[in-house]
Amino acid sequence: MEGPIKHRENDRMGMFYIEGEKGVIAELTYTKNSDGVIVIDHTEVKRQYEGQGKATKLVAAAVHFARQNNLKIEPLCPFAEVMFERYTEYSDVRA
């Protein structure tokens, strides 16, 4: 059973993640720069949970967070970059 998407951050970095019964099963990590940009640098889903849309949900959570906090996103990680190309509605938060 998986839980909701969780978020934690400090002054310089943060992550969105999903926990399962045995810990984190999917995560998206980012760094923050002084220009109000979060740089998504890594997205990972444990192998047995791949193909279930979890990474896509994490990118969507990051986009929602950016909109709520007036931030922009630089999708450095290849998966996030593909999501930004696929979902043109994310263009409003792209750095």
Side-chain angles (χ1 to χ4, degrees):
M1 182 79 190
E2 82 180 54
I5 293 175
K6 296 183 179 181
H7 179 227
R8 67 176 179 230
E9 69 173 358
N10 60 30
D11 290 342
R12 294 174 290 119
M13 58 186 56
M15 70 183 289
F16 290 91
Y17 60 102
I18 300 170
E19 291 179 315
E21 293 176 5
K22 297 180 180 178
V24 174
I25 61 172
E27 67 180 23
L28 175 155
T29 60
Y30 63 87
T31 55
K32 296 189 289 186
N33 70 26
S34 58
D35 298 328
V37 176
I38 59 176
V39 180
I40 297 175
D41 52 23
H42 180 70
T43 308
E44 182 177 357
V45 177
K46 291 220 164 68
R47 182 168 286 128
Q48 65 264 40
Y49 299 100
E50 288 178 352
Q52 298 176 15
K54 294 184 187 338
T56 301
K57 289 179 186 174
L58 293 174
V59 172
V63 168
H64 178 73
F65 175 77
R67 287 179 178 145
Q68 296 292 104
N69 293 280
N70 209 22
L71 300 167
K72 296 291 186 183
I73 295 176
E74 176 61 42
L76 184 64
C77 133
F79 179 81
E81 187 174 7
V82 166
M83 290 296 98
F84 270 76
E85 289 170 7
R86 182 175 298 163
Y87 297 105
T88 55
E89 62 267 28
Y90 292 172
S91 63
D92 64 312
V93 295
R94 186 159 191 170

